[in-house]
Amino acid sequence: MRIFLSYSHHDARTAEEVQLALVAESHSVFFDRTGLPYGEAFHAVIRQEIAIADLFVLLVSPSSVRTGCYAQTEMKFAKDKWPNPAGHVLPVLVAPTPSSDIPAYLQAITF
């Protein structure tokens, strides 16, 4: 399974642990720290990686749902691909986050 891992850089340590656990289970995981080649247009690479992913995992925290966080841009790409997130988008709560801050797109599915 091809998985795109989205997170706030404030949650980088947790993201790395999740990435390692998924790889240990034989999943192919796009992780920006290892998957973005130097000198490439990162926006295009990220859009392409989401386009070919089977699953979009978003680590949910106050940082990742904050306006201006790049994870929100990645979530928009996922939403464009999968207007209905069920079965394709997996939000994982990694820090207490007020439900009012969580986008409706993610609230439509179970955390």
Side-chain angles (χ1 to χ4, degrees):
M1 176 174 284
R2 294 180 70 94
I3 300 172
F4 185 94
L5 181 59
S6 180
Y7 63 98
S8 163
H9 283 276
H10 287 92
D11 304 315
R13 183 180 178 109
T14 301
E16 185 173 4
E17 292 170 1
V18 169
Q19 183 260 349
L20 290 170
L22 291 169
V23 168
E25 293 296 319
S26 300
H27 296 291
S28 172
V29 180
F30 178 81
F31 185 55
D32 64 346
R33 295 198 174 209
T34 57
L36 285 175
Y38 293 106
E40 292 289 324
F42 75 92
H43 200 68
V45 172
I46 287 173
R47 183 186 295 268
Q48 175 62 28
E49 288 295 328
I50 293 171
I52 64 173
D54 300 307
L55 181 67
F56 179 87
V57 174
L58 174 63
L59 303 186
V60 177
S61 69
S63 300
S64 69
V65 297
R66 176 182 46 81
T67 301
C69 178
Y70 197 76
Q72 293 299 301
T73 300
E74 294 168 345
M75 189 178 65
K76 181 195 175 303
F77 295 154
K79 186 176 179 181
D80 290 345
K81 180 177 178 174
W82 300 296
N84 179 349
H88 304 287
V89 176
L90 179 62
V92 178
L93 192 63
V94 296
T97 306
S99 60
S100 60
D101 292 348
I102 298 171
Y105 180 69
L106 296 177
Q107 289 188 12
I109 47 183
T110 304
F111 282 59

